[in-house]
Amino acid sequence: MAVSLIEQSAGVESRIDFAPFLRAFRKHVLKIGLITLVLTGIPLPFIAKMTTKYLATATVLIKAQADNAVPVDQVDNFDSTRAPYYETQYNLMQSRVVLERAVKDMHLDDNPRFNGADHNDKARLKLAEQTTLTEQARINHAVQTLSRGLTFTIVRQTQLIYISYKSTSAAESARIANGVAKAFIHYSVDQKIHKTAQAQAWNTQQMQKLKKQLSDRKQQMAQFLDEKDLLMFHGIDGFETEKMEITNSKLADAKERRLAAQAAYETMLNTDRSSADTFASLPEIADHAQLKDLRIALTQARRKLYELQRLYGPKHQKVLAAGAEIKAIEAQSEVLFAELKERITKKYQEARIKEQRYQVLLHEQTRQVKALVAKRDQYNELLTEIEKTEDLYKSLLKRSKEQRLAAQYREPNAILYDPAMIPDKPQKQNKKLLIVMTFLLALVLNVLVIVVMTAMNRRIAGMHQLRARLGLVAVGDIPLFNTPDNWVDAVSRHPQAAEIIHGIQTAIDFCQKDIKVMGVASCFPQEGASSFFRLMARSVARKKRTLMLDLDYRHPDSLTEAGTQAENSGGFTAFVAGAALSSVVSSVDNNLDILTRGELTESPLIFFDTSAFTGALESLNRSYEQLVINMPVIEQSKDSQLLMRELDALVIVVKANQYAAPDLKKVLAKLPLREGQTVVGVVNQVKDDDLQSEESRQFMASSTIVDLEKTEQR
């Protein structure tokens, strides 16, 4: 059961309770205010001496693509789609060459505050007296001074870069921020123009070389043609090729004519052994005019002969004359056939001779063309070199003119999108803001100290912490009474003060009904457990017959009530030994008796563990409605652990702001709780601000007790 009590307290303690912090703030509010004012006042002289600085910011837009105002390709182009493009521009903007350009453009090297010749600085004045700063040294000093006040900020996922400059002068901060932006823009344009000029110069130099090469190649070509005695007609072999084509055409015609003549000749040879009619049917002869006439005459003569033979007979003179006429015609035909054969033979021979001559001529021309192949290859090589050189020269000439045109247009890769304006208010060393920040910082520091101190304070300050830190049911709290020496009686007689104890007793009844044996104990000495024991017994006696039983054998003094004296001074020890109850108890008030502890010769640990002790308590339970026991300090011995077996309820008295919760929990862990046993807590000597019970607050709100003095409770 002890473990369950600790676990219960740990679970509740993990909750955040802001009430202690609020009470600590209310308690120390004046201290916090005073210390805050002191801490705020300490840096005021330093703040007053601070130099005010102004911040001006210019916005530069890096172009994603060129303007393309000139319809020619730029020499220095860019590709903004590459991932590091904008990061590169951001770093180039911070480069030394850009800062030097800004220094020169704004003449900062002539400004003593920038060039290292500031006479307000004694060390620099002494150096200036000894040596004269060179121009480069002034520029270096100006660049260093300029870079200390410059800030470059790239805006992610955009094309914007902020250029900021801090200066003691508002106008100067804006001028320098804009000047650096313009220096970057002008420097990038100058670099493009410089590259274009370099490319143009190189192109011009290459054009001169190509022009000379072209002239040399043409001269070499003319010399080659003269040496080889070549005629240019559709190329180096154009003339020979043309002749060869003509010869080839004529050869084809001659061959065709020779084949026709050969066909007629061979037909003629084959007709020598046949009739004249077959010979006359040849195409070369059939169209001959004289032959046509002879054939007609022969036909007419034969028809005439036929008619005469039919009329006169074969021996008639006319028949014989007609036969002679036919023979004369046939004789003429034979003569004509012989002439035609001679003509066909000559024509065939002439066609063969022409064909052979054309063949010889074509062969000769073919040989000559073959001889030109090597010369043509050499010529083509020279011609190709000339043509390629001319093409390259034309390209360079065109590009040179384009570059000359592009060099006249100054197209920047960035623009000053939002120039810096002269700031109205300072950005740094805002004295009013620094004072406010100092005040707030001091206030936060004081509050933090209070929070840390409160958080580190593990002591029990009020009844609200009993549940959170110790796992005890809080039944009430008791304020610091302003009382005389006999303060218990004074509190008991005062209605509002006694109401506090009655409220605690009622809260205990709410936790458990029909309590027969109630113990009152404390974890450590001097926590007011004995005083609360006396007050609680008086409150219980208002309703029940009650016995005050003192079992604290560890305390040097026995607990007694003023004006009471028993017949037997042996007390509870004598009662256990067999003395009569009436002889050892004494009456304190109506329904309230007290039984002192008496003198014990043996160890309390042995005494509390005897059957006689248990029997004595049972006897007292039968004689009284409720026993209220004053128990030993839990931390000093195991007496309370033994007495826990006889208790129905235990009231733990905790002195406010005296002991830390971990120490109290360690002591409470020793108590062996049983099922149904109630353990509650009461906080004693609580400060006014920490009181939470209704009865204690009502008592503190009244002003009826003005004659009581503060006294220490036992």
Side-chain angles (χ1 to χ4, degrees):
M1 294 299 294
V3 175
S4 63
L5 179 62
I6 299 304
E7 291 179 350
Q8 181 181 10
S9 65
V12 177
E13 190 175 5
S14 62
R15 302 172 187 172
I16 299 176
D17 185 10
F18 293 100
F21 301 103
L22 298 177
R23 287 192 294 271
F25 293 151
R26 288 197 300 267
K27 178 179 178 181
H28 301 289
V29 62
L30 293 179
K31 294 180 181 179
I32 292 175
L34 181 60
I35 295 175
T36 301
L37 292 176
V38 171
L39 293 179
T40 304
I42 290 175
L44 285 179
F46 302 98
I47 295 176
K49 293 180 180 180
M50 288 183 177
T51 304
T52 301
K53 289 190 176 182
Y54 295 86
L55 178 67
T57 301
T59 303
V60 177
L61 174 65
I62 306 298
K63 291 183 179 180
Q65 60 183 7
D67 295 337
N68 294 326
V70 180
V72 294
D73 294 335
Q74 299 291 328
V75 175
D76 186 15
N77 213 333
F78 59 89
D79 183 8
S80 62
T81 59
R82 295 184 179 181
Y85 172 72
Y86 294 107
E87 288 286 345
T88 303
Q89 295 297 314
Y90 169 70
N91 287 281
L92 288 177
M93 192 176 292
Q94 306 176 55
S95 62
R96 181 178 179 84
V97 290
V98 173
L99 297 182
E100 285 188 1
R101 175 64 179 267
V103 167
K104 294 177 181 178
D105 290 348
M106 293 183 287
H107 305 289
L108 297 180
D109 52 332
D110 297 331
N111 191 332
R113 292 197 306 108
F114 286 87
N115 63 13
D118 190 355
H119 294 288
N120 292 328
D121 191 337
K122 294 182 178 180
R124 290 182 176 178
L125 177 60
K126 184 177 180 180
L127 180 62
E129 292 175 352
Q130 295 176 356
T131 61
T132 302
L133 293 176
T134 63
E135 180 181 359
Q136 187 59 41
R138 292 198 305 271
I139 292 176
N140 292 339
H141 279 291
V143 170
Q144 292 176 2
T145 306
L146 177 65
S147 60
R148 284 196 291 267
L150 272 177
T151 303
F152 298 86
T153 306
I154 184 170
V155 183
R156 298 295 178 184
Q157 306 299 324
T158 67
Q159 301 166 223
L160 301 178
I161 297 178
Y162 295 146
I163 302 177
S164 304
Y165 186 74
K166 292 179 183 178
S167 175
T168 56
S169 171
E172 184 180 74
S173 63
R175 182 175 70 89
I176 292 180
N178 292 330
V180 173
K182 293 178 182 178
F184 170 71
I185 295 172
H186 294 162
Y187 181 79
S188 61
V189 173
D190 291 346
Q191 287 296 105
K192 291 176 63 176
I193 294 176
H194 179 65
K195 288 185 178 180
T196 303
Q198 284 184 332
Q200 185 179 0
W202 184 85
N203 287 342
T204 302
Q205 183 181 3
Q206 295 302 316
M207 284 170 56
Q208 293 175 355
K209 292 181 180 180
L210 290 176
K211 189 174 183 180
K212 185 177 183 305
Q213 290 178 5
L214 185 60
S215 178
D216 295 341
R217 292 290 187 274
K218 289 183 177 180
Q219 185 177 0
Q220 186 178 358
M221 172 69 77
Q223 185 178 358
F224 172 75
L225 293 176
D226 292 340
E227 290 178 356
K228 302 300 181 179
D229 194 16
L230 299 175
L231 178 63
M232 293 298 298
F233 178 78
H234 298 296
I236 190 172
D237 56 350
F239 181 72
E240 298 297 333
T241 303
E242 188 71 19
K243 290 196 303 181
M244 187 174 176
E245 290 178 356
I246 294 172
T247 302
N248 192 27
S249 178
K250 290 182 178 182
L251 176 61
D253 294 340
K255 186 175 183 179
E256 184 177 357
R257 288 192 297 270
R258 192 265 304 169
L259 291 174
Q262 183 178 358
Y265 177 74
E266 290 178 354
T267 303
M268 181 194 70
L269 294 179
N270 293 330
T271 57
D272 288 344
R273 293 182 297 272
S274 59
S275 63
D277 294 335
T278 303
F279 181 76
S281 64
L282 293 174
E284 297 290 336
I285 298 174
D287 294 335
H288 196 277
Q290 188 177 359
L291 182 59
K292 288 181 179 180
D293 293 340
L294 289 175
R295 293 183 68 181
I296 293 172
L298 182 60
T299 302
Q300 291 177 354
R302 287 178 178 174
R303 185 182 302 114
K304 181 179 179 181
L305 177 61
Y306 176 73
E307 290 293 335
L308 290 175
Q309 285 178 350
R310 188 169 61 84
L311 292 176
Y312 300 108
K315 300 296 185 178
H316 193 275
Q317 187 63 34
K318 291 183 178 181
V319 174
L320 294 174
E325 184 180 359
I326 291 173
K327 291 181 180 178
I329 293 173
E330 290 178 351
Q332 291 181 1
S333 297
E334 288 293 335
V335 173
L336 181 60
F337 284 156
E339 292 177 358
L340 290 176
K341 289 180 179 179
E342 182 68 22
R343 184 183 300 174
I344 290 173
T345 302
K346 290 181 178 180
K347 187 176 179 180
Y348 168 66
Q349 292 176 351
E350 181 181 354
R352 284 186 60 190
I353 292 171
K354 283 186 177 182
E355 181 183 7
Q356 291 174 356
R357 287 179 179 177
Y358 280 125
Q359 286 179 349
V360 172
L361 180 59
L362 182 62
H363 178 73
E364 179 65 21
Q365 290 177 350
T366 302
R367 186 186 61 79
Q368 292 177 359
V369 169
K370 290 181 179 179
L372 286 175
V373 171
K375 298 178 182 179
R376 183 186 58 189
D377 293 342
Q378 187 175 358
Y379 168 81
N380 288 338
E381 291 178 1
L382 293 174
L383 183 61
T384 302
E385 289 183 2
I386 292 174
E387 290 176 350
K388 295 298 183 182
T389 305
E390 285 181 345
D391 293 341
L392 184 56
Y393 178 81
K394 291 178 181 178
S395 299
L396 289 177
L397 180 61
K398 178 183 176 182
R399 186 57 178 163
S400 179
K401 291 182 178 180
E402 290 177 351
Q403 291 168 353
R404 186 179 298 108
L405 179 62
Q408 298 175 2
Y409 177 67
R410 302 175 65 87
E411 179 184 358
N413 294 339
I415 59 175
L416 182 57
Y417 191 80
D418 186 11
M421 304 300 293
I422 299 177
D424 298 330
K425 297 180 180 180
Q427 186 271 343
K428 195 174 181 181
Q429 281 79 37
N430 189 339
K431 298 180 182 180
K432 293 182 180 179
L433 180 60
L434 285 176
I435 293 174
V436 173
M437 291 178 61
T438 304
F439 175 80
L440 294 177
L441 183 61
L443 180 62
V444 170
L445 182 62
N446 281 279
V447 171
L448 183 61
V449 170
I450 296 299
V451 169
V452 173
M453 292 178 60
T454 305
M456 294 180 64
N457 184 9
R458 307 301 297 168
R459 296 172 180 171
I460 304 299
M463 60 180 292
H464 63 284
Q465 295 176 335
L466 288 177
R467 179 73 174 176
R469 298 185 177 181
L470 300 181
L472 298 177
V473 178
V475 294
D477 49 9
I478 303 174
L480 279 168
F481 289 112
N482 294 325
T483 61
D485 293 340
N486 193 11
W487 71 275
V488 174
D489 292 335
V491 170
S492 299
R493 290 191 298 268
H494 193 279
Q496 291 182 343
E499 191 70 13
I500 298 174
I501 309 302
H502 297 332
I504 295 174
Q505 194 271 328
T506 302
I508 296 174
D509 289 342
F510 288 156
C511 296
Q512 183 177 349
K513 289 290 187 180
D514 301 328
I515 298 176
K516 294 291 290 181
V517 182
M518 176 191 298
V520 177
S522 62
C523 294
F524 298 97
Q526 303 299 324
E527 292 196 76
S530 298
S531 300
F532 178 76
F533 160 74
R534 296 168 62 190
L535 291 172
M536 179 54 66
R538 283 172 169 77
S539 177
V540 174
R542 302 273 182 170
K543 299 182 291 184
K544 300 178 182 179
R545 177 172 171 76
T546 305
L547 175 65
M548 299 171 57
L549 177 59
D550 181 21
L551 294 182
D552 186 5
Y553 289 99
R554 302 293 180 176
H555 198 277
D557 298 327
S558 177
L559 182 65
T560 60
E561 286 287 338
T564 61
Q565 182 66 41
E567 295 180 5
N568 187 348
S569 61
F572 181 73
T573 304
F575 177 70
V576 173
L581 178 62
S582 60
S583 64
V584 295
V585 300
S586 58
S587 178
V588 178
D589 201 350
N590 188 24
N591 285 339
L592 179 61
D593 295 337
I594 184 171
L595 178 57
T596 60
R597 66 186 184 185
E599 296 295 333
L600 186 65
T601 57
E602 59 183 342
S603 170
L605 296 177
I606 298 176
F607 177 67
F608 292 149
D609 200 26
T610 60
S611 59
F613 171 77
T614 304
L617 285 182
E618 292 177 353
S619 177
L620 293 175
N621 278 332
R622 292 191 294 269
S623 301
Y624 292 91
E625 294 182 79
Q626 185 166 341
L627 301 181
V628 181
I629 301 176
N630 182 35
M631 298 176 61
V633 176
I634 301 174
E635 185 267 341
Q636 292 181 347
S637 65
K638 293 183 174 60
D639 297 353
S640 296
Q641 301 177 33
L642 293 174
L643 292 175
M644 285 295 294
R645 296 180 296 184
E646 310 298 334
L647 301 180
D648 295 326
L650 173 64
V651 180
I652 302 296
V653 179
V654 179
K655 186 176 181 180
N657 298 309
Q658 184 69 24
Y659 297 102
D663 297 334
L664 295 172
K665 288 173 64 176
K666 183 178 179 180
V667 174
L668 291 175
K670 300 177 180 179
L671 297 178
L673 303 181
R674 69 173 187 271
E675 187 70 26
Q677 198 172 36
T678 301
V679 179
V680 297
V682 174
V683 184
N684 190 23
Q685 300 184 19
V686 181
K687 296 181 180 179
D688 297 350
D689 294 338
D690 296 328
L691 291 173
Q692 289 187 327
S693 65
E694 296 83 353
E695 295 79 14
S696 297
R697 290 182 178 180
Q698 290 177 1
F699 171 76
M700 297 307 300
S702 66
S703 58
T704 56
I705 302 180
V706 295
D707 55 345
L708 301 180
E709 297 177 355
K710 183 177 180 181
T711 183
E712 182 181 1
Q713 302 177 23
R714 176 188 169 210

